[in-house]
């Protein structure tokens, strides 16, 4: 394993934050060893840091997995280790003539977080393709396997963000795949995403900053009377209204605050254009949600995890 004190924490927002200790492990034995050694310390397991906003330095141990292999269990299931980049796996599956995950192409981040976050794009969510999730219990160090149902997946949500938060480390994920040519879909999705989303490594961001809100039918109808062009999608959870539309209507597209900006090509994204501090991003996000609440009476909530 690798240990580094007072280490810069990797994060796609490009926020300058340090961890008291950063540890990368390369086996389950090493992970168990670390958990035993640092029991009682504040511990955070991260992936690529592509959905995190470090609001301050982290006074504890940041863990990262260096395990990044995948193997077929049979013709319909692949088990991938937590530290593998999701898109690297999808690229490989596509090359090998397997489909199922291609709509998730180019979503930043690693396999472990794909289950925690229930990542999704273009109508597909990780929950649609995850069969089961292997974890290590942080207290007992024992393995526990969660079925898809036990993960309690929801919109960008899972039990790992709530009742299981901090209690289990996802070590590998079993995905369902099937033979099929996904090349064209993958290429189209990559082209679309590259056209509207900031590229990791070029522009700092954490992707969509806010989740799309769901409102009761009556509220949606009242808003539609006032804004007939408002996009809206009825669902069992209520009527989904794209947060990007709400933010754009409030005039935020391209606006800046300190070094942070509402991305002109996709107003759901906040970017770090000019050495933004975490506070710049927090202030901009707060100003955006305040104006959406004032204009539409809708609360929008961050998808990004504030640490
Ligand atoms: C440009 C851009 C575009 C994006 N587009 C999308 C999109 O289309 N759809 C979408 O859903 N998301 C999108 N995102 C968000 C991001 O890609 C996902 O949330 C992704 O799952 C984060 O993965 P990560 O490895 O970076 O996790 P991190 O951001 O490092 O961590 C996310 C959370 O998972 C926890 N975690 C990480 N690994 C483990 C583990 N092994 N065990 C337990 N907990 C763990 C962390 O503690 C944290 O709470 C985008 C982000 C960017 C920067």
């Amino acid at each position: 394993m690798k240990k580094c004190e007072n280490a810069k924490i990797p994060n796609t927002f490009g926020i300058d934050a340090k961890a008291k200790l950063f540890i990368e492990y390369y086996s389950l034995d090493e992970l168990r060893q670390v958990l035993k050694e640092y029991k009682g310390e504040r511990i955070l397991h991260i992936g690529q840091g592509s959905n995190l906003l470090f609001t301050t330095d982290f006074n504890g141990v940041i863990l990262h997995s260096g395990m990044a292999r995948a193997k077929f269990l049979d013709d319909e299931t692949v088990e991938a280790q937590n530290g593998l980049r999701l898109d690297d796996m999808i690229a490989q599956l596509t090359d090998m003539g397997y489909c199922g995950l291609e709509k998730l192409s180019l979503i930043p981040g690693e396999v472990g977080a794909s289950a925690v976050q229930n990542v999704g794009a273009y109508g597909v969510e990780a929950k649609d393709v995850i069969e089961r999730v292997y974890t290590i219990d942080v207290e007992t160090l024992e393995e526990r396997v969660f079925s898809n149902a036990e993960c309690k997946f929801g919109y960008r949500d899972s039990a790992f963000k709530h009742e299981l938060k901090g209690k289990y480390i996802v070590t590998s994920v079993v995905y369902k795949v099937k033979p099929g040519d996904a090349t064209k879909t993958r290429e189209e999705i990559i082209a679309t995403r590259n056209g509207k989303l900031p590229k990791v490594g070029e522009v700092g961001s954490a992707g969509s900053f806010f989740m799309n809100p769901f409102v009761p039918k009556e509220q949606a109808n009242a808003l539609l009377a006032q804004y007939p062009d408002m996009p809206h999608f009825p669902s069992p959870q209520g009527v989904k209204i794209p947060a990007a539309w709400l933010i754009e209507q409030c005039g935020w597209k391209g606006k800046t605050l300190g070094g942070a900006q509402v991305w002109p090509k996709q107003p759901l994204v906040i970017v770090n254009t000019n050495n933004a501090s975490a506070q710049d991003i927090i202030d901009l996000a707060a100003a955006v949600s305040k104006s959406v609440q004032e204009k539409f009476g809708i609360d929008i909530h961050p998808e990004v995890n504030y640490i």
Side-chain angles (χ1 to χ4, degrees), residues 45 47-52 108-110 113 117 119-120 156 170 193 198 206-207:
H45 196 296
Q48 199 185 339
S50 64
N51 205 234
L52 304 178
E110 298 173 359
Q117 303 279 109
V119 293
R156 301 293 179 276
V170 174
R193 291 184 68 98

Side-chain angles (χ1 to χ4, degrees), residues 109-123:
E110 298 173 359
V111 159
S114 75
V116 175
Q117 303 279 109
N118 183 25
V119 293
Y122 304 102

Side-chain angles (χ1 to χ4, degrees), residues 115-116 118 127 130-135 145-154 157-164 170:
V116 175
N118 183 25
K127 75 170 171 59
I130 288 179
E131 188 164 293
R132 58 186 185 274
V133 173
Y134 286 84
T135 68
V145 188
F146 288 86
S147 67
N148 180 300
E150 285 171 323
C151 294
K152 298 190 188 159
F153 290 121
D157 205 16
S158 75
F160 300 109
K161 290 177 96 171
H162 301 283
E163 63 268 32
L164 307 179
V170 174

Side-chain angles (χ1 to χ4, degrees), residues 78-107:
V78 172
E79 179 176 359
Q81 290 179 315
N82 53 0
L84 180 62
R85 292 261 167 104
L86 184 67
D87 190 57
D88 287 351
M89 181 181 74
I90 300 172
Q92 242 179 308
L93 284 169
T94 308
D95 282 351
M96 290 170 75
Y98 283 87
C99 62
L101 279 78
E102 59 281 359
K103 297 243 173 102
L104 307 178
S105 290
L106 222 60
I107 297 182

Side-chain angles (χ1 to χ4, degrees), residues 235-266:
S235 83
Q237 274 173 275
V239 181
K240 183 168 102 176
I241 319 252
W245 185 85
L246 297 168
I247 296 167
E248 191 173 350
Q249 297 301 306
C250 293
W252 281 104
K253 222 174 175 179
K255 291 266 169 70
T256 57
L257 197 159
Q261 184 191 31
V262 176
W263 185 239
K265 293 182 197 166
Q266 164 53 285

Side-chain angles (χ1 to χ4, degrees), residues 165-187:
K165 193 178 170 139
K167 294 188 175 147
Y168 293 91
I169 286 170
V170 174
T171 52
S172 68
V173 177
V174 176
Y175 300 95
K176 293 177 274 190
V177 295
K178 47 184 190 265
D181 186 2
T183 317
K184 195 161 172 280
T185 309
R186 178 168 160 79
E187 280 171 4

